[in-house]
Amino acid sequence: MIHKAYRRIVKREPIYYGWVIALALAITETVSYGVMFYAFSVFIAPMEAELGWSRAQLTGAFSLSLLITGLVGVPVGYWLDKRGGRLLMTAGSIGATILVALWSQVQTLPEFTLIMILLGFCGAAVLYEPAFAVIATWFSRRRGTAMAVLTFVAGFSSTLFIPLSDALLVAQGWRGAVLSLAVLLGAITIPLHGLLMRGKPQDLGLQPDGALETAPPAQRSEINLRAVLRSRYFWVLTLAFALSTLSISAVRIHFIPLLISVGIHPTSAAWASGSIGVMQVVGRMIFAPVERHFSSKTMVAGVFALLALSLAVLLLGNAGWIIALFVALFGMAIGTHTLARPLIVADSYGAAYYGRISSAIVIVLTLMGTSAPFAAGVIFDVFGNYDVMLLLAVGFSLASLIMIWLLPKRSAG
């Protein structure tokens, strides 16, 4: 091993360019999610106060953005397969920068809704799904490691951008803060996507992972996609993740307003929300070594149990130790939830058809997840608190746990 490392240093073998792309995407995902997703929760209350819109109207527009992002994932995937991610992700970054800047100047609800809808299209071009597709193109045997690098760094997005957004809010007001975030988004993501992204490793005379192009092609195992999409196994698995996604999305987006509604200072609420990102990374660090010793079904069940426990903790009150315990458990649940779905899908169906099967699941998750912030806003407007939302979230999480535990055996297809 030492001899090989010495030879590499002496020969100055170039680093496989896929790792350059992976690190670039880790940075751009961190910033894109921070500005386009996590920062929104910081601006709900000040926008509500200045513009007079209800929480349901604000979160409804945001939910439309998330819905568009999920629904246009399939055509985005076809584009990525044929043309790579460079042009698409660069254009998405440019469009997102312009739209976030326009968000800072919005005056009417229709304007804001249109901006959010268009921002959803940009999200489909720059967020996790296209990034994972690019990683899948450049890596094969080391795909898991590359995705771990990407999600590890991006896991700090909320930790960085929620407190940053709150600090900008205090210093500049919500309009100035959003405009500053637009500048930051464009300055970082546009050059990284435009200058560092490439099409496929074959363009450099390589195969995924950096192997020479003379390596034999991987064998594909055939499955019946139509049978998969009609199977009970597929739909039980999909609905289990859909219900857990519903719970996560509702609580994550409304967490800062929830804490403010029970008397927590907005800055403290922002720091608590940002700390969830740290615990996401901790959860992923624990998940990776543990999953080697358990089946994917057991790991997923454990993730759903952790999610239900974290939400139940938040029902106990608003004492500091309760919020801290919730942040730790909920953050780890979210972090492992991100890895649990690809683990069990790949385990069940293999890698050859992972993209198409996963995209079918993502459509359902998008419909459920994007409705959650709006539904939670309506519940708050009706009841004046978040108690009902939390009870429903706990119930949905427990339902997910039961469904995954009773998951039937997958029939051959």
Side-chain angles (χ1 to χ4, degrees), residues 44-66:
I44 292 176
M47 289 183 68
E48 188 178 30
E50 177 185 326
L51 298 168
W53 305 336
S54 71
R55 197 154 298 185
Q57 289 173 322
L58 284 166
T59 54
F62 184 72
S63 295
L64 276 177
S65 176
L66 299 179

Side-chain angles (χ1 to χ4, degrees), residues 13 85 203:
E13 294 179 12
D203 299 336

Side-chain angles (χ1 to χ4, degrees), residues 358 393 406:
S358 180
L406 299 178

Side-chain angles (χ1 to χ4, degrees), residues 233 291 294-301 340 343-344 347-348:
Y233 182 96
E291 67 93 7
F294 298 95
S295 68
S296 57
K297 176 181 175 179
T298 301
M299 291 300 298
V300 173
L343 172 69
I344 195 168
D347 233 25
S348 301

Side-chain angles (χ1 to χ4, degrees), residues 135-153:
I135 292 294
T137 299
W138 283 83
F139 294 90
S140 179
R141 290 178 296 102
R142 308 189 73 180
R143 186 178 299 156
T145 302
M147 288 188 177
V149 169
L150 172 60
T151 57
F152 180 86
V153 176

Side-chain angles (χ1 to χ4, degrees), residues 39-387:
F40 175 77
S41 62
V42 176
F43 303 122
I44 292 176
M47 289 183 68
E48 188 178 30
E50 177 185 326
L51 298 168
W53 305 336
S54 71
R55 197 154 298 185
Q57 289 173 322
L58 284 166
T59 54
F62 184 72
S63 295
L64 276 177
S65 176
L66 299 179
L67 179 63
I68 294 297
T69 296
L71 293 182
V72 301
V74 174
V76 164
Y78 280 111
W79 174 284
L80 289 166
D81 288 341
K82 293 183 177 181
R83 298 178 175 84
R86 186 178 189 177
L87 178 59
L88 180 73
M89 299 191 82
T90 303
S93 293
I94 294 172
T97 299
I98 295 171
L99 289 166
V100 174
L102 291 174
W103 171 14
S104 72
Q105 307 302 312
V106 71
Q107 297 292 338
T108 68
L109 184 60
E111 289 175 352
F112 178 66
T113 302
L114 178 59
I115 289 171
M116 288 293 106
I117 290 173
L118 295 176
L119 203 56
F121 284 96
C122 294
V126 300
L127 295 179
Y128 264 157
E129 291 304 320
F132 285 157
V134 171
I135 292 294
T137 299
W138 283 83
F139 294 90
S140 179
R141 290 178 296 102
R142 308 189 73 180
R143 186 178 299 156
T145 302
M147 288 188 177
V149 169
L150 172 60
T151 57
F152 180 86
V153 176
F156 288 101
S157 181
S158 63
T159 307
L160 294 172
F161 277 87
I162 290 178
L164 173 62
S165 299
D166 182 71
L168 291 171
L169 173 65
V170 172
Q172 302 175 345
W174 76 266
R175 292 186 184 276
V178 172
L179 184 59
S180 295
L181 290 175
V183 172
L184 183 63
L185 177 68
I188 295 177
T189 64
I190 294 173
L192 288 180
H193 286 153
L195 299 177
L196 295 184
M197 296 289 290
R198 295 292 184 271
K200 298 180 179 180
Q202 289 80 2
D203 299 336
L204 303 180
L206 300 170
Q207 284 192 327
D209 301 315
L212 294 177
E213 224 173 5
T214 53
Q219 297 295 316
R220 292 168 58 94
S221 58
E222 296 295 327
I223 64 174
N224 188 325
L225 286 174
R226 182 173 296 181
V228 166
L229 298 180
R230 291 178 176 177
S231 69
R232 181 185 173 199
Y233 182 96
F234 172 85
W235 283 107
V236 171
L237 183 66
T238 299
L239 290 175
F241 275 98
L243 290 176
S244 62
T245 300
L246 189 70
S247 301
I248 289 172
S249 182
V251 175
R252 192 69 181 98
I253 295 299
H254 284 267
F255 185 53
I256 291 178
L258 185 154
L259 292 184
I260 294 173
S261 72
V262 295
I264 304 299
H265 189 276
T267 298
S268 299
W271 277 101
S273 185
S275 298
I276 291 175
V278 176
M279 298 313 300
Q280 287 181 234
V281 175
V282 172
R284 288 166 186 166
M285 292 175 64
I286 296 172
F287 186 93
V290 171
E291 67 93 7
R292 301 191 192 107
H293 304 287
F294 298 95
S295 68
S296 57
K297 176 181 175 179
T298 301
M299 291 300 298
V300 173
V303 170
F304 291 162
L306 183 63
L307 175 62
L309 177 62
S310 69
L311 294 170
V313 165
L314 199 56
L315 287 169
L316 298 177
N318 62 340
W321 70 269
I322 292 177
I323 294 174
L325 180 60
F326 167 78
V327 166
L329 297 177
F330 188 65
M332 288 191 290
I334 294 177
T336 53
H337 191 274
T338 302
L339 299 175
R341 179 174 58 85
L343 172 69
I344 195 168
V345 171
D347 233 25
S348 301
Y349 299 106
Y353 289 84
Y354 171 82
R356 277 166 283 186
I357 295 172
S358 180
S359 66
I361 295 176
V362 166
I363 290 176
V364 179
L365 302 193
T366 298
L367 292 172
M368 297 291 279
T370 54
S371 66
F374 173 72
V378 171
I379 290 172
F380 177 85
D381 290 341
V382 171
F383 293 96
N385 58 59
Y386 285 105
D387 293 346

